């Protein structure tokens, strides 16, 4: 592998692709699996350069689009994402709503600063234990701080449990409404 100066000199190029200095690969819930660069151009709304480390997820698009046209989401079912207009307008510097991930035996929950993650196969995951990272101080997830921060971990875990239970109910309701025919 060839090293580059990017990402504090930790970026590594490999023959099979690279997540740079970020931990993990695609389909993992560490930053190497979920972090993707993005570009947003909206001259009528975005008037100046924005913080490049603001977490955004595709579920933010619907609340943002609704707010942009002056509509509100239904009170019957809250949306997972957040309205990004205040961020685009320079009125908000920190994410207000956490982001949840669930795929391929992995789960993660992150707010603007912290992320908990669990999952993966033995030797390629968290070995069945939750991990906690401070993404502002440790964006490459090199230091699992779960033991040093039990209050932060419990707060995020409680939020994730609520989100996960709600998502499971939605999946069950959808499966009942649209059963798969073998």
């Amino acid at each position: 592998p060839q090293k580059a100066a990017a990402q504090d000199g930790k970026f590594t190029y490999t023959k099979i692709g690279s997540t740079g200095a970020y931990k993990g690969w695609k389909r993992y819930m560490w930053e190497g699996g979920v972090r993707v660069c993005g570009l947003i151009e909206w001259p009528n709304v975005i008037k100046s350069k924005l913080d490049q480390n603001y977490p955004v997820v595709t579920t933010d698009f619907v609340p943002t689009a609704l707010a942009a046209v002056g509509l509100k989401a239904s009170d019957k079912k809250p949306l997972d994402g957040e309205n990004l207009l205040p961020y685009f307008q320079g009125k908000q510097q920190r994410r207000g709503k956490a982001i949840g991930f669930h795929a391929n035996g992995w789960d993660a929950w992150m707010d603007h600063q912290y992320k908990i993650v669990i999952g993966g196969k033995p030797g390629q995951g968290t070995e069945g234990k939750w991990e906690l990272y401070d993404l502002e101080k440790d964006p490459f997830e090199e230091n699992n701080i779960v033991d040093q921060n039990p209050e932060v971990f419990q707060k995020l875990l409680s939020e994730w449990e609520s989100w996960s239970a709600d998502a499971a109910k939605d999946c069950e309701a959808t499966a009942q409404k649209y059963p798969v025919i073998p």
Side-chain angles (χ1 to χ4, degrees):
Q2 182 181 12
K3 293 268 185 185
Q7 298 174 335
D8 298 330
K10 298 175 184 177
F11 189 102
T12 303
Y13 296 101
T14 66
K15 292 180 181 180
I16 61 168
S18 179
T19 60
Y22 293 106
K23 186 175 182 175
W25 298 90
K26 290 300 169 195
R27 298 188 182 160
Y28 291 14
M29 292 296 151
W30 292 304
E31 290 299 281
V34 297
R35 185 179 285 239
V36 178
C37 61
L39 174 69
I40 299 172
E41 185 175 341
W42 195 356
N44 290 341
V45 175
I46 302 172
K47 303 293 184 188
S48 61
K49 182 179 176 182
L50 299 171
D51 173 11
Q52 298 174 8
N53 290 312
Y54 192 97
V56 173
V57 66
T58 54
T59 56
D60 295 335
F61 297 165
V62 171
T64 303
L66 289 172
V69 297
L71 296 175
K72 286 191 168 196
S74 169
D75 291 335
K76 293 180 183 176
K77 179 65 182 149
L79 299 173
D80 283 339
E82 79 176 22
N83 170 14
L84 297 173
L85 286 180
Y87 165 61
F88 293 157
Q89 296 164 342
K91 299 174 184 174
Q92 180 173 313
Q93 281 70 48
R94 297 186 65 79
R95 184 172 183 86
K97 197 169 189 181
I99 301 171
F101 298 95
H102 171 76
N104 301 315
W106 286 85
D107 287 288
W109 185 255
M110 65 181 286
D111 61 18
H112 195 91
Q113 181 174 0
Y114 294 102
K115 180 168 92 176
I116 58 172
V117 60
I118 191 170
K121 297 176 183 174
Q124 295 180 323
T126 67
E127 304 307 323
K129 296 179 182 172
W130 283 99
E131 297 175 351
L132 170 67
Y133 297 97
D134 182 334
L135 296 177
E136 290 181 355
K137 294 178 183 172
D138 180 22
F140 307 122
E141 296 169 308
E142 296 174 304
N143 302 299
N144 177 7
I145 58 170
V146 71
D147 292 334
Q148 296 86 355
N149 296 275
E151 301 85 16
V152 171
F153 171 71
Q154 286 301 321
K155 175 187 175 291
L156 292 175
L157 181 62
S158 176
E159 291 173 2
W160 173 83
E161 288 172 337
S162 177
W163 173 81
S164 180
D166 187 51
K169 284 190 287 185
D170 286 349
C171 288
E172 186 177 312
T174 301
Q176 288 176 0
K177 188 172 183 179
Y178 304 103
V180 176
I181 301 171

